[in-house]
Amino acid sequence: MAKYVCTVCGYVYDPAQGDPDNGIDPGTSFENLPADWVCPLCGASKDEFEQEK
C-alpha cells in the first residue's frame, strides 16, 4: 500500500501504521480513509495529500 504525504505540513500517512489516535486501524489504505479524515498534524483535508513517489 502506498504512503501519502500532506502537501501542507509534510506528514506521511503510512497505511501499515494507520492513525490509531484518530480511530484508523493499521492496514487501512489511504483510499479507504473516511472522507472527513484530516491530517492529524495540521488538519488539512484528504485532497491536500499526494502519493509518495
Side-chain angles (χ1 to χ4, degrees):
M1 285 186 278
K3 296 179 183 179
Y4 282 75
V5 181
C6 178
T7 60
V8 176
C9 74
Y11 170 81
V12 177
Y13 176 75
D14 181 352
Q17 302 293 319
D19 183 13
D21 292 341
N22 292 297
I24 306 299
D25 293 329
T28 303
S29 69
F30 186 80
E31 293 81 4
N32 288 334
L33 291 172
D36 62 352
W37 181 84
V38 296
C39 177
L41 295 185
C42 73
S45 62
K46 278 180 69 176
D47 63 356
E48 296 289 341
F49 281 73
E50 293 181 348
Q51 187 170 345
E52 189 175 64
K53 294 177 174 56

